[in-house]
Amino acid sequence: MTDRQITLSHAAIEALNWPPMTMAFDRPAHLPAPVQVGDKVTFTFSQTDSGYQLVHIAPLR
Ligand SMILES: [Cu+2]
């Protein structure tokens, strides 16, 4: 994991036909990282030319 990416283990995403997996998401420069390794999080992302970029991420409480 680089400081420009966050690795997440996510559940299945039916809209994309993705099974559960662990993968790296790009972190935009403006996105704060209010999460710690091991946190359960909720997040949104968008597809870009170079991969998948986080739009929002927050710890689940
Ligand atoms: Cu995935």
Side-chain angles (χ1 to χ4, degrees):
M1 181 161 75
T2 70
D3 60 351
R4 297 304 314 277
Q5 292 193 312
I6 296 177
T7 300
L8 299 173
S9 296
H10 66 73
I13 300 176
E14 289 181 24
L16 295 173
N17 219 16
W18 282 0
M21 71 178 87
T22 299
M23 61 183 284
F25 290 86
D26 296 329
R27 189 173 82 189
H30 69 273
L31 185 75
V35 295
Q36 303 296 320
V37 173
D39 282 351
K40 290 186 183 299
V41 298
T42 181
F43 66 101
T44 61
F45 64 94
S46 62
Q47 187 169 13
T48 68
D49 289 343
S50 58
Y52 298 93
Q53 187 171 70
L54 289 171
V55 174
H56 173 263
I57 185 168
L60 283 175
R61 302 186 195 289

